[in-house]
Amino acid sequence: MRNFNLTPDLTPLYRSAIGFDRLAQLAEHAAANNANSGYPPYNIELLGENRYRITMAVAGFAMSELDIMSEGEKLLVKGNKATKTDDRKYLHQGIAERGFERTFQLADYVRVVGAELEHGLLNIDLVREIPEAMKPRKIDIVSTNTLG
């Protein structure tokens, strides 16, 4: 059986594009990061032109067992489930009671503005705040014609 490499070769991008190395690194990271995709399930929602929400299903986690860290362009969400010492004997245990760590890569100027835990769902609200200097602006055209 042959193993196929599904990781894209971005060498041509590095040869012909200048300043896109961060984008290429993001693509390589996303292709290689398959372990980050299963638990807990989550949604990423577009709420408005520059507003987003990440909703994670964290049923069974208390607020004290969840941590959210935003550093640079990375958002890290951790769930640290306390170890139980009860003597329960499960016939079937389908409810995951394990910790998790999920990392999201944020685009430039995207920041976390709030988080709430409700009905087993962790909602993380984000907003993209583009600096004034980066926003499109109209340039006035003046005439240099001095003939009267």
Side-chain angles (χ1 to χ4, degrees):
M1 183 173 183
R2 288 184 107 166
N3 289 333
F4 292 99
N5 184 3
L6 297 178
T7 305
D9 180 16
L10 300 173
T11 305
L13 179 65
Y14 289 126
R15 284 193 301 245
S16 61
I18 299 168
F20 288 94
D21 52 328
R22 183 169 170 264
L23 179 63
Q25 289 170 352
L26 284 173
E28 288 174 348
H29 177 72
N33 198 7
N34 293 333
N36 197 16
S37 62
Y39 175 77
Y42 65 94
N43 295 334
I44 300 176
E45 201 176 344
L46 178 63
L47 300 176
E49 184 177 345
N50 290 312
R51 296 183 323 118
Y52 307 89
R53 175 174 285 162
I54 299 170
T55 302
M56 299 179 73
V58 292
F61 282 86
M63 262 195 274
S64 61
E65 297 173 321
L66 297 169
D67 289 315
I68 302 172
M69 292 282 287
S70 178
E71 184 178 346
E73 284 101 23
K74 290 194 187 248
L75 172 65
L76 175 65
V77 182
K78 281 186 184 181
N80 297 311
K81 199 67 179 149
T83 56
K84 291 187 178 182
T85 57
D86 58 3
D87 292 331
R88 293 182 181 182
K89 294 182 182 179
Y90 293 99
L91 297 177
H92 170 74
Q93 186 175 7
I95 299 172
E97 290 187 354
R98 64 183 185 270
F100 67 88
E101 192 171 300
R102 179 167 299 283
T103 304
F104 296 93
Q105 188 69 38
L106 303 178
D108 293 336
Y109 313 115
V110 173
R111 67 179 187 90
V112 177
V113 293
E116 68 176 1
L117 181 63
E118 184 179 20
H119 304 298
L121 297 175
L122 176 64
N123 294 310
I124 304 169
D125 292 320
L126 304 109
V127 65
R128 179 179 25 217
E129 294 176 337
I130 301 171
E132 282 299 318
M134 301 294 290
K135 291 182 180 176
R137 60 186 173 95
K138 181 159 174 50
I139 308 298
D140 294 328
I141 302 171
V142 296
S143 173
T144 58
N145 187 358
T146 57
L147 296 177

